[in-house]
Amino acid sequence: TISTIDNAAANADLTLSIDGNININSAASEHITLTPGGEVVVDKDLDDTTAGSITALKVDLDRVGTVSSGTDYVTGINLDVTQTGGDGGAKQAIGLNIDVDGDNNHAGSSIAYGIYLTNDGAEACYGIYIKNEDDAAHFDFINVSSASVLDYFAINTIAEGATTISTVDNDTAVAHLTLDVDGDINIEA
């Protein structure tokens, strides 16, 4: 056990300055648990003029071994957010908040991806699987305009697979839906 105590405040910081890797290994089936009083922050900064590749957090999970019976579940990141105790006021729970800010102030090219997803290798692959509460006030997918978040395109699927595709223009009625198809449009009922 390593501990620091500041009886007057909470300033007994612990700083590790390591000139190499930090390896934390736990025994088989034992957890590594962080219980902070505030956020767990990964702050990775690079100030360099040479092109390269930088990653702030990498999760690498390899499940090997032959499983001959039962169902074997493998999850890279299991995120569970619970918000309770509402008694007036507004509440907003966010499972994952992604903010990607690309650089377009230079002579080269620039691309920013909010989510870059590759999914393959299984008998059935689902790029994005959404199970959202059924209700007219809920949307399974919503894409808001950068000009106004009150202008949007939405998709909602409810019981029996009934699906609604909708567009909303907050102040006029020009939220047109355009299909720009480089091929056939096939509709089957």
Side-chain angles (χ1 to χ4, degrees):
T1 300
I2 299 173
S3 61
T4 63
I5 297 174
D6 181 353
N7 289 328
N11 296 318
D13 299 334
L14 175 63
T15 302
L16 303 175
S17 181
I18 309 298
D19 188 14
N21 294 330
I22 298 175
N23 298 311
I24 301 173
N25 299 307
S26 64
S29 301
E30 294 297 324
H31 301 293
I32 296 173
T33 303
L34 303 175
T35 310
E39 297 177 336
V40 175
V41 177
V42 175
D43 184 4
K44 174 69 177 170
D45 300 315
L46 176 66
D47 186 355
D48 198 335
T49 58
T50 304
S53 179
I54 182 172
T55 300
L57 177 65
K58 179 180 179 179
V59 176
D60 181 8
L61 171 62
D62 299 314
R63 169 63 171 97
V64 296
T66 302
V67 179
S68 59
S69 65
T71 303
D72 189 39
Y73 295 99
V74 179
T75 303
I77 297 175
N78 186 347
L79 176 65
D80 184 4
V81 176
T82 303
Q83 184 180 39
T84 62
D87 189 17
K91 301 190 86 158
Q92 183 180 37
I94 298 174
L96 186 61
N97 185 346
I98 301 173
D99 183 4
V100 178
D101 187 3
D103 180 9
N104 65 357
N105 294 321
H106 67 291
S109 64
S110 176
I111 298 174
Y113 297 96
I115 297 175
Y116 189 103
L117 176 67
T118 302
N119 183 18
D120 60 20
E123 292 177 11
C125 293
Y126 304 98
I128 298 175
Y129 179 92
I130 300 171
K131 181 181 177 187
N132 196 38
E133 186 174 351
D134 289 350
D135 190 293
H138 300 113
F139 298 107
D140 297 328
F141 173 84
I142 186 166
N143 184 28
V144 300
S145 168
S146 60
S148 170
V149 297
L150 300 176
D151 299 333
Y152 59 87
F153 163 78
I155 301 174
N156 192 26
T157 302
I158 58 173
E160 309 295 333
T163 302
T164 301
I165 297 175
S166 59
T167 62
V168 173
D169 183 340
N170 180 54
D171 55 359
T172 58
V174 292
H176 308 307
L177 180 62
T178 302
L179 300 177
D180 187 359
V181 179
D182 188 12
D184 296 337
I185 296 177
N186 300 312
I187 300 174
E188 297 182 15

